[in-house]
């Protein structure tokens, strides 16, 4: 594993690029961020591998239709546009975040936690949510959805899997299936 910052944070950079590319201003519904910021240490100091291996619980998951998905995504995008990184990363499930820190090219979790703790900011980009398409309920209680938005760089169409988080009482991003256009690779 490389200790060079651009390689160590490659998976996190994908999440940051996604967060920056889908942060949006309020839609007609005046979406506001209602999530609690992520807490440090991440996962209450439980190892990321344990969190990633824990199956997503599918009990008491509310139904989600296209209108509900639009409201949920609008709130997530409002959080992604917030100043503190602890709110920007609150849009992801613990499982999604934990998967960033395991595998063949894991991100550096202590460095990630320092970034959150110091409040390092990335300039917010404010795309507009244009619509939700391709809503697909999955057997495990998660929901796949395509987000269509317009950014300052043009339109995006990202396919995400949302999971219900009972603690936050909100749908959070549990998987990024595809980003269109794909994010640029960081330069070493």
């Amino acid at each position: 594993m490389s200790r060079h910052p651009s390689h160590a944070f490659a998976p996190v950079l994908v999440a940051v690029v996604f967060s920056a590319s889908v942060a949006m201003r309020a839609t007609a519904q005046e979406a506001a961020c209602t999530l609690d910021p992520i807490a440090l240490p991440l996962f209450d100091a439980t190892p990321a591998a344990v969190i990633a291996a824990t199956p997503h619980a599918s009990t008491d998951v509310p139904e989600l239709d296209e209108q509900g998905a639009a409201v949920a995504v609008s709130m997530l995008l409002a959080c992604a546009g917030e100043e503190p990184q602890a709110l920007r990363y609150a849009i992801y499930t613990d499982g999604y975040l934990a998967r960033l820190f395991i595998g063949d090219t894991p991100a550096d979790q202590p460095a990630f936690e320092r970034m959150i703790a110091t409040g390092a900011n990335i300039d917010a980009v404010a795309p507009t949510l244009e619509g939700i398409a391709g809503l697909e309920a999955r057997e495990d209680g998660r929901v796949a959805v395509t987000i269509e938005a317009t950014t300052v760089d043009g339109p995006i169409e990202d396919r995400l899997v949302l999971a219900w988080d009972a603690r936050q009482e909100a749908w959070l991003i549990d998987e990024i299936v595809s980003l269109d256009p794909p994010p640029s690779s960081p330069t070493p």
Side-chain angles (χ1 to χ4, degrees):
M1 177 176 99
S2 171
R3 292 289 179 197
H4 190 276
S6 66
H7 295 290
F9 280 103
V12 175
L13 287 174
V14 169
V16 170
V17 168
F18 173 75
S19 293
S21 70
V22 297
M24 71 171 268
R25 64 182 166 262
T27 62
Q29 299 162 350
E30 297 292 325
C33 181
T34 60
L35 296 178
D36 295 327
I38 58 174
L40 297 177
L42 285 177
F43 325 122
D44 291 326
T46 303
V50 171
I51 299 298
T54 304
H56 178 75
S58 60
T59 59
D60 299 326
V61 175
E63 288 190 37
L64 191 66
D65 60 13
E66 283 194 23
Q67 182 179 1
V71 170
V73 168
S74 293
M75 191 273 298
L76 293 175
L77 297 177
C79 293
E82 291 287 333
E83 286 297 319
Q85 292 288 354
L87 273 177
R88 287 183 180 192
Y89 283 98
I91 69 173
Y92 302 102
T93 64
D94 284 349
Y96 177 87
L97 289 174
R99 291 187 297 271
L100 295 175
F101 306 114
I102 61 172
D104 293 337
T105 55
D108 184 338
Q109 186 173 341
F112 178 80
E113 289 182 2
R114 280 191 303 277
M115 177 189 73
I116 298 294
T118 60
N121 289 327
I122 297 171
D123 291 336
V125 177
T128 303
L129 182 65
E130 300 295 338
I132 299 292
L135 188 74
E136 172 194 342
R138 299 207 169 170
E139 288 183 21
D140 61 4
R142 300 181 310 154
V143 176
V145 65
T146 300
I147 297 171
E148 299 166 351
T150 302
T151 71
V152 294
D153 296 325
I156 61 169
E157 187 174 293
D158 298 342
R159 183 84 174 153
L160 309 173
V161 177
L162 304 176
W164 178 253
D165 184 289
R167 182 181 53 81
Q168 292 271 27
E169 295 184 355
W171 290 92
L172 303 179
I173 299 168
D174 192 50
E175 183 180 341
I176 298 174
V177 177
S178 65
L179 299 175
D180 182 19
S184 310
S185 297
T187 346

